[in-house]
Amino acid sequence: MAESIGTTGLILNEPLLWEKGKKGRCGFSLPRRDVEPSPLDPVFTGEGPDLPDLSEVDVVRHYTRLSQWNFGVDTGMYPLGSCTMKYSPKTNERQAGLLGFTGAHPLLPDTLSQGALRIMFELEQYLSEITGMDATTLQPAAGAQGELTGMLLIYACHKSRGERRSKIIVPDTAHGTNPASAALCGYRPIAVESNEKGILSAEAVSEVMDEDTAGIMITNPNTLGLFEENILKIAEIVHSKGGLVYCDGANMNAVMGVAQMGKIGVDLMQLNLHKTFSTPHGGGGPGSGPVCVKKHLKSFLPVPRVVENEGRYTLVENCPDSIGKLQAFYGNFGVMLKAYSYIRTMGPKNLKRASQLAVLNANYIKEMLKDTLHLPFDRPCMHECVFSDKYQKADHVTTLDMAKRLMDYGFHPPTIYFPLVVQGAIMMEPTETESKEDIDRYIEAFKAIVNEAKEDPELLRQAPHKCKVRRLDETAAARKPCLAG
Ligand SMILES: *Cc1c(COP(=O)(O)O)cnc(C)c1O
């Protein structure tokens, strides 16, 4: 194997701090006391906590080593599709960390929170503009909670018309959270199959859409990385039967400043600020899944709403049609700050450019690898492209084997076995920030791996070879995690 930017021989083992500690070692000393000693309250005496004695070097090395076992976008390319693990510029963290923000408290009165409220108000406006919608709520804490909010809004809208509908149309390419959110709101998700081009056809939607269907949840671009080109026609069909069009906007990274969902028939949608707008993503949060709506749904949005009146900002609870409250206070404010800072530092032109580059990079990978890996939908993609392991079947090498081997070459594996409509799927999303050199290195690594699959399939089946741990029992790793290291 050619020299790679993967791991070398220096993978350090690290024991627990308790195993490392030696009685009498000390990391720092307390200042000399200047008062008389006095005995502790008897309640606090007795056995102290079992803490190891460690020197400063012991502690610093321990945590530095642990931090190096991790892999993130700061370490190298992280081409996980359907997740947009994009680079979040550090300046946005800095802005969110400013003292005025970190010292703010959600229980402060409006009069003392004018700056924070203004940022929320303006961010709502920016997100409405980017999506082509009329109003936005920042409350939901994740994409999935945004979807649930959307479903509650759809329910409230039908209720206000004196209607009660029982079903929601969900395409077979949808993220698992879509049918789950519909079901959580009491709707029955009705699956529709995408066509041979990987998108929804108007005919397929027309077949299932009826007056008992509350609407459709459509992801655009969809989870195959393809733009739902029939969206206008689909929206027309759904609207003609009194339904609403919900767009899962988690893939907005492909179309910022390019496609305005509000102008192509969408009534409401969620954005994932932790995918598209500069909050690091993964590790369980915090996230933010704002929901943007057209005018006719505005009165149903969650409370409180930020309202501006002659330059003063207030939080208003008195909205009789509102679906109520979804989240403690107003949502995850720190994430909103990073999105605000990102949007302001980029400006409209650069947001559009980011999307164009994300799409260009994905299409470059698609073109460069399509003779190496099977490409089920050979047409221009958006921000991600999906391959499969079909060509490797003969060598009995699977998607999982190739993903594991990629780690030996120093790359985080792409998303595998999703979306479910492609057997043995390998889904790659390079994002806009990867340079041509890094993308080329990644492409070369994949080509080398596919060669290895022919020449030495066993090497792949045993991979990874150069990582801290080898092939794990994935079920046991998830069900019985060993957190001791
Ligand atoms: C990530 C994602 C979601 C879910 O978002 P969370 O913030 O993880 O809840 C929903 N739909 C799509 C298409 C996604 O990529």
Side-chain angles (χ1 to χ4, degrees):
M1 164 180 161
E3 191 185 330
S4 73
I5 54 167
T7 51
T8 69
L10 264 184
I11 307 172
L12 304 163
N13 279 321
E14 185 60 21
L16 296 178
L17 282 177
W18 279 264
E19 293 159 14
K20 240 180 154 172
K22 280 268 164 357
K23 208 82 224 124
R25 252 181 224 169
C26 186
F28 70 99
S29 45
L30 294 169
R32 206 182 300 279
R33 72 181 146 77
D34 55 4
V35 292
E36 283 305 305
S38 73
L40 276 176
D41 186 314
V43 177
F44 297 117
T45 51
E47 288 285 304
D50 170 30
L51 295 176
D53 293 5
L54 296 151
S55 72
E56 182 170 303
V57 182
D58 288 336
V59 174
V60 171
R61 282 191 187 153
H62 179 75
Y63 288 108
T64 304
R65 287 177 180 187
L66 293 192
S67 75
Q68 290 169 344
W69 288 356
N70 207 348
F71 190 99
V73 78
D74 287 343
T75 327
M77 190 164 157
Y78 207 129
L80 216 49
S82 186
C83 288
T84 312
M85 304 299 285
K86 79 176 197 176
Y87 186 75
S88 301
K90 301 286 179 266
T91 182
N92 305 320
E93 291 287 339
R94 201 167 304 139
Q95 266 65 265
L98 290 175
L99 209 59
F101 295 133
T102 53
H105 194 283
L107 290 178
L108 278 175
D110 296 351
T111 46
L112 296 178
S113 310
Q114 286 296 301
L117 293 176
R118 180 175 163 191
I119 281 181
M120 289 166 63
F121 184 81
E122 290 182 359
L123 179 60
E124 286 186 359
Q125 289 187 318
Y126 295 154
L127 298 179
S128 297
E129 187 177 337
I130 290 168
T131 52
M133 310 296 273
D134 300 314
T136 295
T137 172
L138 301 170
Q139 243 183 68
Q145 202 187 15
E147 293 167 27
L148 177 61
T149 308
M151 292 303 103
L152 292 167
L153 291 169
I154 289 179
Y155 179 84
C157 176
H158 285 302
K159 197 170 156 209
S160 77
R161 298 174 185 164
E163 284 185 24
R164 217 190 154 120
R165 300 188 174 206
S166 72
K167 299 180 286 184
I168 290 270
I169 301 171
V170 184
D172 59 354
T173 48
H175 194 276
T177 49
N178 286 193
S181 300
L184 205 57
C185 192
Y187 287 121
R188 191 151 51 87
I190 304 295
V192 264
E193 274 181 33
S194 32
N195 64 16
E196 70 293 341
K197 289 162 110 189
I199 57 174
L200 277 186
S201 71
E203 293 72 38
V205 174
S206 175
E207 256 171 46
V208 286
M209 183 66 207
D210 60 19
E211 255 108 41
D212 189 31
T213 303
I216 187 169
M217 288 184 98
I218 188 164
T219 307
N220 205 8
N222 71 17
T223 44
L224 284 165
L226 302 173
F227 195 80
E228 291 288 354
E229 290 166 6
N230 303 319
I231 178 95
L232 276 172
K233 191 93 205 10
I234 290 170
E236 208 182 296
I237 293 165
V238 173
H239 287 149
S240 74
K241 297 266 166 80
L244 292 162
V245 178
Y246 180 92
C247 173
D248 180 333
N251 293 335
M252 196 69 192
N253 208 49
V255 290
M256 288 183 292
V258 181
Q260 285 193 302
M261 298 301 162
K263 304 230 165 94
I264 52 174
V266 170
D267 297 293
L268 71 171
M269 65 184 292
Q270 109 276 356
L271 293 169
N272 286 27
L273 298 189
H274 48 287
K275 287 182 183 169
T276 315
F277 295 96
S278 197
T279 276
H281 163 195
S288 177
V291 174
C292 314
V293 301
K294 295 303 285 285
K295 253 193 224 87
H296 57 282
L297 295 170
K298 186 176 173 184
S299 63
F300 304 114
L301 287 175
V303 285
R305 301 281 307 140
V306 191
V307 173
E308 189 253 3
N309 192 1
E310 292 178 354
R312 306 295 301 171
Y313 298 88
T314 39
L315 285 171
V316 173
E317 299 266 358
N318 177 24
C319 309
D321 293 338
S322 167
I323 58 167
K325 203 162 166 51
L326 280 144
Q327 177 74 333
F329 303 111
Y330 331 110
N332 284 328
F333 185 60
V335 182
M336 297 174 205
L337 287 173
K338 286 181 254 185
Y340 182 88
S341 171
Y342 180 67
I343 292 170
R344 292 295 298 262
T345 50
M346 295 285 278
K349 262 204 211 118
N350 286 321
L351 283 180
K352 182 173 181 179
R353 194 161 159 71
S355 282
Q356 289 170 328
L357 286 175
V359 171
L360 180 67
N361 286 351
N363 277 286
Y364 180 63
I365 291 186
K366 172 176 69 64
E367 287 305 309
M368 296 299 280
L369 282 179
K370 76 178 190 192
D371 298 327
T372 308
L373 290 166
H374 169 241
L375 180 69
F377 301 100
D378 187 1
R379 46 193 299 248
C381 64
M382 294 276 107
H383 58 304
E384 57 198 1
C385 53
V386 182
F387 297 97
S388 90
D389 59 1
K390 194 171 172 185
Y391 295 164
Q392 283 67 47
K393 284 257 151 63
D395 304 314
H396 303 288
V397 164
T398 63
T399 288
L400 181 70
D401 299 330
M402 292 190 277
K404 294 287 185 196
R405 182 65 174 148
L406 195 63
M407 294 195 265
D408 287 336
Y409 284 83
F411 294 98
H412 193 286
T415 294
I416 55 173
Y417 300 108
F418 183 82
L420 305 175
V421 290
V422 172
Q423 219 194 10
I426 313 173
M427 187 191 212
M428 305 175 184
E429 180 178 0
T431 77
E432 66 275 12
T433 33
E434 292 307 321
S435 66
K436 177 161 183 305
E437 291 75 19
D438 278 340
I439 296 178
D440 280 338
R441 231 174 301 193
Y442 173 82
I443 290 165
E444 286 315 312
F446 239 106
K447 286 186 172 168
I449 289 167
V450 165
N451 258 340
E452 289 171 345
K454 284 191 212 99
E455 281 160 20
D456 190 359
E458 201 48 35
L459 182 79
L460 264 71
R461 286 195 280 268
Q462 302 290 329
H465 300 272
K466 292 170 142 199
C467 294
K468 175 94 188 105
V469 287
R470 301 288 296 273
R471 191 84 59 119
L472 298 172
D473 174 340
E474 311 233 326
T475 313
R479 298 269 182 268
K480 296 180 204 153
C482 166
L483 302 175

Coordinates of all heavy atoms in Angstrom, one line a residue, residues 237-279:
I237 N -50.7 18.5 -6.9 CA -51.6 17.4 -6.6 C -52.0 17.3 -5.2 O -53.2 17.2 -4.9 CB -50.9 16.0 -7.0 CG1 -50.7 15.9 -8.5 CG2 -51.6 14.8 -6.5 CD1 -49.7 14.9 -9.0
V238 N -51.0 17.5 -4.3 CA -51.3 17.5 -2.8 C -52.2 18.6 -2.5 O -53.2 18.5 -1.8 CB -50.0 17.5 -2.0 CG1 -50.2 17.6 -0.5 CG2 -49.1 16.3 -2.3
H239 N -51.9 19.8 -3.0 CA -52.8 21.0 -2.6 C -54.2 20.9 -3.2 O -55.2 21.3 -2.5 CB -52.1 22.3 -3.2 CG -50.9 22.7 -2.5 ND1 -49.8 23.3 -3.1 CD2 -50.6 22.6 -1.2 CE1 -48.9 23.6 -2.1 NE2 -49.3 23.1 -1.0
S240 N -54.3 20.2 -4.4 CA -55.6 20.1 -5.0 C -56.6 19.3 -4.1 O -57.8 19.4 -4.2 CB -55.5 19.6 -6.4 OG -55.3 18.2 -6.3
K241 N -56.0 18.4 -3.3 CA -56.8 17.5 -2.4 C -56.8 18.1 -1.0 O -57.1 17.4 0.0 CB -56.3 16.1 -2.4 CG -56.3 15.4 -3.7 CD -57.6 14.6 -3.9 CE -57.9 14.2 -5.3 NZ -57.2 13.0 -5.8
G242 N -56.4 19.3 -0.8 CA -56.4 20.0 0.5 C -55.3 19.6 1.4 O -55.3 19.9 2.6
G243 N -54.2 19.0 0.9 CA -53.1 18.6 1.7 C -52.0 19.7 1.8 O -52.1 20.6 1.0
L244 N -51.0 19.5 2.7 CA -49.9 20.4 2.8 C -48.6 19.7 2.4 O -48.5 18.5 2.6 CB -49.8 20.9 4.2 CG -51.0 21.8 4.7 CD1 -51.1 21.9 6.2 CD2 -50.9 23.2 4.1
V245 N -47.7 20.5 1.9 CA -46.4 20.0 1.5 C -45.3 20.4 2.5 O -45.0 21.5 2.7 CB -46.0 20.5 0.1 CG1 -44.6 20.0 -0.3 CG2 -47.0 20.1 -0.9
Y246 N -44.8 19.3 3.2 CA -43.7 19.5 4.2 C -42.4 19.1 3.5 O -42.3 18.1 2.9 CB -44.0 18.7 5.4 CG -42.9 18.8 6.5 CD1 -43.0 19.8 7.5 CD2 -41.7 18.1 6.4 CE1 -42.0 20.0 8.4 CE2 -40.7 18.3 7.3 CZ -40.8 19.2 8.3 OH -39.8 19.4 9.2
C247 N -41.4 20.0 3.7 CA -40.1 19.6 3.1 C -39.1 19.4 4.2 O -38.9 20.3 5.1 CB -39.6 20.7 2.2 SG -37.9 20.5 1.6
D248 N -38.5 18.2 4.3 CA -37.4 18.0 5.2 C -36.2 18.7 4.5 O -35.7 18.3 3.5 CB -37.1 16.5 5.3 CG -36.0 16.1 6.2 OD1 -35.1 17.0 6.4 OD2 -36.0 15.0 6.8
G249 N -35.7 19.8 5.2 CA -34.7 20.6 4.6 C -33.3 20.3 5.1 O -32.4 21.2 5.1
A250 N -33.1 19.1 5.7 CA -31.8 18.8 6.2 C -30.7 18.9 5.2 O -29.5 19.0 5.5 CB -31.8 17.4 6.8
N251 N -31.1 18.8 3.9 CA -30.1 18.8 2.8 C -29.9 20.2 2.2 O -29.5 20.3 1.0 CB -30.4 17.8 1.7 CG -30.3 16.4 2.3 OD1 -29.5 16.1 3.2 ND2 -31.0 15.5 1.7
M252 N -30.3 21.2 2.9 CA -30.2 22.6 2.4 C -28.8 23.0 2.0 O -28.7 23.9 1.2 CB -30.8 23.6 3.5 CG -31.2 24.9 3.0 SD -32.6 24.9 1.9 CE -32.6 26.5 1.3
N253 N -27.8 22.3 2.5 CA -26.5 22.7 2.1 C -26.2 22.7 0.6 O -25.3 23.3 0.1 CB -25.4 21.8 2.8 CG -24.1 22.4 3.0 OD1 -24.1 23.6 3.5 ND2 -23.0 21.8 2.6
A254 N -27.1 21.9 -0.1 CA -26.9 21.9 -1.6 C -27.6 23.0 -2.3 O -27.2 23.3 -3.5 CB -27.5 20.5 -2.1
V255 N -28.5 23.7 -1.7 CA -29.3 24.6 -2.5 C -29.5 26.0 -1.9 O -30.4 26.8 -2.4 CB -30.7 24.0 -2.8 CG1 -30.6 22.8 -3.7 CG2 -31.4 23.6 -1.5
M256 N -28.6 26.4 -1.0 CA -28.8 27.8 -0.4 C -28.6 28.8 -1.5 O -27.6 28.8 -2.2 CB -27.7 28.0 0.7 CG -27.8 27.2 2.0 SD -26.5 27.7 3.1 CE -25.1 27.0 2.4
G257 N -29.5 29.7 -1.6 CA -29.4 30.8 -2.6 C -29.7 30.3 -4.0 O -29.5 31.1 -4.9
V258 N -30.0 29.0 -4.1 CA -30.2 28.5 -5.5 C -31.7 28.1 -5.6 O -32.4 28.5 -6.6 CB -29.4 27.2 -5.7 CG1 -29.6 26.7 -7.1 CG2 -27.9 27.5 -5.5
A259 N -32.2 27.3 -4.7 CA -33.7 26.9 -4.8 C -34.4 27.5 -3.5 O -34.0 27.2 -2.4 CB -33.8 25.4 -4.8
Q260 N -35.4 28.2 -3.7 CA -36.2 28.7 -2.6 C -37.5 27.8 -2.5 O -38.3 27.8 -3.3 CB -36.6 30.1 -2.8 CG -35.4 31.1 -2.5 CD -35.9 32.5 -2.4 OE1 -36.5 33.0 -3.3 NE2 -35.7 33.1 -1.3
M261 N -37.5 27.0 -1.4 CA -38.6 26.0 -1.3 C -40.0 26.6 -1.3 O -40.9 26.1 -1.8 CB -38.3 25.2 0.0 CG -37.0 24.4 0.0 SD -37.0 23.2 -1.5 CE -35.2 22.9 -1.5
G262 N -40.0 27.8 -0.7 CA -41.3 28.5 -0.6 C -41.9 28.9 -1.9 O -43.1 29.1 -2.1
K263 N -41.0 28.9 -2.9 CA -41.5 29.3 -4.3 C -41.8 28.1 -5.1 O -42.2 28.2 -6.3 CB -40.4 30.1 -5.0 CG -40.0 31.4 -4.1 CD -40.0 32.6 -5.0 CE -40.0 33.9 -4.1 NZ -38.7 34.4 -3.9
I264 N -41.5 26.9 -4.6 CA -41.8 25.7 -5.4 C -42.8 24.8 -4.8 O -42.7 23.6 -4.9 CB -40.5 24.9 -5.8 CG1 -39.6 24.6 -4.6 CG2 -39.7 25.7 -6.8 CD1 -38.4 23.8 -4.9
G265 N -43.7 25.4 -4.1 CA -44.9 24.7 -3.6 C -44.8 24.2 -2.2 O -45.8 23.5 -1.7
V266 N -43.7 24.4 -1.5 CA -43.6 23.9 -0.1 C -44.3 24.9 0.9 O -44.2 26.1 0.8 CB -42.1 23.8 0.3 CG1 -41.9 23.5 1.8 CG2 -41.4 22.7 -0.6
D267 N -45.1 24.3 1.8 CA -45.8 25.1 2.8 C -45.0 25.3 4.0 O -45.2 26.3 4.7 CB -47.1 24.4 3.1 CG -48.1 24.3 1.9 OD1 -48.5 25.4 1.5 OD2 -48.3 23.2 1.5
L268 N -44.2 24.3 4.4 CA -43.4 24.4 5.6 C -42.2 23.4 5.6 O -42.3 22.4 4.8 CB -44.3 24.1 6.9 CG -44.8 22.7 7.2 CD1 -45.4 22.7 8.6 CD2 -45.8 22.2 6.2
M269 N -41.2 23.7 6.3 CA -40.0 22.9 6.2 C -39.1 23.1 7.5 O -39.3 24.2 8.1 CB -39.2 23.3 5.0 CG -38.6 24.6 5.0 SD -37.7 25.1 3.5 CE -36.3 24.0 3.6
Q270 N -38.3 22.2 7.8 CA -37.3 22.4 8.8 C -35.9 22.5 8.2 O -35.6 22.0 7.2 CB -37.4 21.3 9.9 CG -36.2 20.4 10.0 CD -36.3 19.2 8.9 OE1 -37.3 19.1 8.2 NE2 -35.3 18.4 8.8
L271 N -35.1 23.3 8.9 CA -33.6 23.3 8.6 C -32.9 22.7 9.7 O -33.3 22.7 10.8 CB -33.2 24.8 8.5 CG -33.8 25.6 7.3 CD1 -33.5 27.1 7.5 CD2 -33.2 25.1 6.0
N272 N -31.7 22.2 9.4 CA -30.9 21.6 10.5 C -29.7 22.6 10.7 O -28.8 22.5 9.9 CB -30.4 20.2 10.2 CG -31.5 19.2 10.3 OD1 -32.7 19.5 10.2 ND2 -31.1 18.0 10.7
L273 N -29.8 23.5 11.6 CA -28.6 24.4 11.8 C -27.3 23.7 12.0 O -26.3 24.1 11.7 CB -28.9 25.4 12.9 CG -30.2 26.3 12.8 CD1 -30.2 27.4 13.9 CD2 -30.2 27.0 11.4
H274 N -27.4 22.5 12.7 CA -26.2 21.7 13.0 C -25.8 20.9 11.7 O -24.9 20.1 11.9 CB -26.5 20.8 14.2 CG -27.8 20.0 14.1 ND1 -29.0 20.6 14.3 CD2 -28.0 18.7 13.8 CE1 -29.9 19.7 14.1 NE2 -29.4 18.6 13.8
K275 N -26.4 21.1 10.6 CA -25.8 20.5 9.4 C -25.4 21.6 8.4 O -24.3 21.5 7.8 CB -26.9 19.6 8.7 CG -27.1 18.3 9.4 CD -28.1 17.4 8.7 CE -28.3 16.2 9.6 NZ -29.4 15.4 9.2
T276 N -26.2 22.6 8.3 CA -26.0 23.6 7.2 C -25.4 24.9 7.8 O -24.7 25.6 7.0 CB -27.3 23.9 6.5 OG1 -28.0 22.7 6.3 CG2 -27.1 24.6 5.2
F277 N -25.7 25.3 9.0 CA -25.4 26.6 9.5 C -24.4 26.6 10.6 O -24.6 27.3 11.6 CB -26.6 27.4 9.8 CG -27.5 27.7 8.5 CD1 -28.5 26.8 8.2 CD2 -27.2 28.7 7.6 CE1 -29.3 27.0 7.0 CE2 -27.9 28.9 6.5 CZ -29.0 28.1 6.2
S278 N -23.3 25.9 10.5 CA -22.1 26.1 11.3 C -22.2 25.7 12.8 O -21.5 26.3 13.6 CB -21.6 27.6 11.2 OG -20.3 27.7 11.7
T279 N -23.0 24.7 13.1 CA -22.8 24.1 14.4 C -22.2 22.7 14.2 O -22.7 22.0 13.4 CB -24.1 24.0 15.2 OG1 -24.3 25.3 15.8 CG2 -24.1 23.0 16.3

